[in-house]
């Protein structure tokens, strides 16, 4: 491994963290999310991001969650935005609305094919053709907006090769992306090998590891299959036979995720993005172990 996700680093420095949430669908889920946000806020994350789903109502919920974070907390929100299934004008409108209310960070994505994962992606005829186009447009309209993009240490499932995938990341960086967050992975070597190839391709932006604390092994395995991420046998073994034992599962989950981030930190990684799944306990514990 040749470098870290940032430039110069010192072991003693407090790692920078960010948290990802999904917009709540019901009143009860909303209450839960706000409990989670309030619990995690004292950890002073660099930013908290809110995902953006397919369909108008989900998108509206992203906007209202972001707005509430801005209005009721001192956290810095980052709004996810995809360019699938929408015209350029609609997307520009969303970006402008975010800018108007004070959002200065967008996580810019292409999004999944409207037919579902595994089908062919078709850009809207009047839409942005790919994520690099979206990044370029956001930067052109609002140069003061920070733009984060995705990265795939095990390549995106639609990519023919990892090199082709890195070419797509390079196009997003050339369009103005400031940072990449990776798809989750469980084997740190995959991340470090990927980072070496990304750096060899001349990409210098931070490539922040996305960490998924495994609360529910079955669910995580399902996500991983859809995302093209490998679930190592050792991880399956650790959760074997714990289907009905939530208490032990939680302990195992905390140990596994803490081990992963500690090893990354030991090798100089200074930024971590947590896929919280709108739950606070594990992420809080892991951040604490990181010295936060
Ligand atoms: P890109 O990085 O633009 O492309 C992914 C792959 O598509 C490429 O590697 C390549 O195989 C192919 N491809 C793209 N453009 C070209 C091209 N010009 N030529 C050839 N091949 C090409 N999804 C949501 O719906 N909402 C979210 O909020 C959300 N947040 C995410 C956050 C992170 C950190 C990550 C890692 C993913 C997120 N996703 C989200 C999932 C993402 O939308 C899907 O993985 C989607 O299929 C790809 O979008 P992307 O921006 O990652 O694609």
């Amino acid at each position: 491994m040749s470098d870290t996700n940032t430039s110069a680093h010192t072991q003693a420095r407090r790692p920078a963290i960010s948290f990802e949430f999904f917009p709540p669908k019901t009143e009860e889920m909303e209450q839960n999310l706000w409990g989670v946000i309030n619990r995690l806020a004292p950890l002073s994350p660099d930013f908290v991001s809110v995902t953006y789903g397919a369909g108008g109502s989900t998108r509206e919920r992203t906007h209202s969650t972001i707005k509430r974070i801005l209005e009721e907390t001192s956290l810095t929100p980052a709004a996810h935005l995809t360019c699938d299934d929408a015209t350029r004008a609609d997307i520009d409108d969303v970006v402008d609305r975010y800018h108007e209310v004070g959002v200065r960070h967008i996580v810019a994505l292409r999004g999944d094919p409207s037919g579902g994962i595994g089908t062919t992606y078709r850009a809207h005829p009047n839409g942005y053709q790919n994520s690099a186009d979206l990044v370029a447009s956001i930067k052109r309209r609002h140069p003061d907006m920070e733009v984060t993009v995705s990265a795939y240490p095990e390549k995106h499932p639609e990519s023919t090769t990892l090199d082709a995938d890195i070419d797509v990341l390079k196009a997003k960086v050339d369009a103005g992306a400031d940072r990449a967050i990776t798809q989750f992975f469980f084997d740190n070597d995959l991340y470090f090998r990927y980072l070496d190839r990304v750096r060899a391709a001349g990409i210098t932006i931070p490539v922040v590891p996305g960490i998924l604390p495994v609360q529910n092994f079955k669910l995580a395995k399902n996500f991983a299959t859809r995302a093209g991420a490998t679930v190592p046998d050792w991880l399956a073994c650790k959760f074997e036979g714990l289907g009905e034992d939530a208490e032990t599962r939680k302990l195992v989950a905390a140990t596994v995720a803490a081990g992963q981030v500690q090893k990354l930190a030991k090798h100089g990684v200074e930024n971590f993005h947590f896929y919280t799944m709108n739950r606070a306990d594990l992420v809080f514990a892991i951040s604490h172990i990181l010295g936060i």
Side-chain angles (χ1 to χ4, degrees):
M1 95 205 45
S2 61
D3 82 22
T4 71
N5 62 341
T6 58
S7 47
H9 67 89
T10 44
Q11 286 293 328
R13 226 163 69 196
R14 173 199 192 272
I17 49 171
S18 50
F19 301 133
E20 182 171 310
F21 305 116
F22 59 85
K25 284 194 185 113
T26 62
E27 185 63 32
E28 198 188 341
M29 285 168 84
E30 174 146 9
Q31 270 181 25
N32 169 67
L33 174 62
W34 281 90
V36 171
I37 290 176
N38 290 329
R39 172 120 169 94
L40 296 179
L43 298 173
S44 304
D46 265 21
F47 63 90
V48 295
S49 77
V50 181
T51 63
Y52 192 74
S57 58
T58 320
R59 293 174 177 185
E60 223 17 82
R61 282 199 295 270
T62 303
H63 196 273
S64 57
T65 306
I66 289 279
K67 201 160 168 273
R68 194 168 161 197
I69 290 172
L70 267 176
E71 285 168 358
E72 297 181 22
T73 75
S74 55
L75 296 167
T76 304
H80 290 221
L81 180 61
T82 65
C83 50
D84 61 299
D85 210 17
T87 64
R88 281 194 198 91
D90 284 344
I91 290 168
D92 293 349
D93 187 48
V94 174
V95 174
D96 293 351
R97 273 169 69 202
Y98 278 136
H99 193 266
E100 209 173 289
V101 295
V103 176
R104 293 293 180 270
H105 187 170
I106 301 275
V107 181
L109 303 141
R110 183 199 71 176
D112 285 322
S114 47
I117 293 175
T119 62
T120 305
Y121 180 82
R122 291 191 206 292
H124 189 289
N126 299 318
Y128 289 108
Q129 295 305 293
N130 53 55
S131 51
D133 278 356
L134 175 63
V135 173
S137 166
I138 297 168
K139 283 290 189 182
R140 206 167 39 238
R141 295 178 82 77
H142 301 290
D144 59 341
M145 268 185 154
E146 198 177 341
V147 178
T148 292
V149 294
S150 62
Y152 296 90
E154 297 183 72
K155 83 176 183 58
H156 185 276
E158 287 171 43
S159 266
T160 44
T161 63
L162 191 57
D163 282 337
D165 199 83
I166 292 173
D167 286 346
V168 172
L169 177 61
K170 180 88 168 57
K172 297 189 281 192
V173 175
D174 291 345
D178 302 289
R179 170 198 297 101
I181 294 175
T182 75
Q183 183 61 276
F184 64 85
F185 55 90
F186 299 112
D187 175 354
N188 287 345
D189 286 344
L190 284 170
Y191 168 76
F192 287 122
R193 281 201 296 269
Y194 174 70
L195 202 59
D196 282 347
R197 288 174 74 160
V198 163
R199 297 298 183 233
I203 297 167
T204 57
I205 60 166
V207 178
V208 179
I211 306 294
L212 177 72
V214 176
Q215 323 257 358
N216 175 328
F217 182 72
K218 251 194 193 157
L219 204 65
K221 197 160 186 246
N222 209 348
F223 282 156
T225 308
R226 285 155 45 99
T230 310
V231 178
D233 288 343
W234 61 259
L235 185 61
C237 283
K238 292 218 188 303
F239 285 93
E240 207 173 287
L242 297 180
E244 303 301 313
D245 186 351
E247 199 65 15
T248 311
R249 264 202 332 256
K250 214 178 204 176
L251 287 171
V252 171
T255 311
V256 166
Q260 183 179 17
V261 295
Q262 276 179 308
K263 279 178 204 137
L264 288 167
K266 202 172 142 206
H267 286 104
V269 173
E270 295 178 321
N271 296 5
F272 296 90
H273 182 76
F274 290 102
Y275 295 106
T276 70
M277 307 306 291
N278 290 9
R279 295 177 68 159
D281 43 6
L282 273 183
V283 173
F284 192 89
I286 299 158
S287 303
H288 188 77
I289 288 167
L290 273 173
I292 294 165

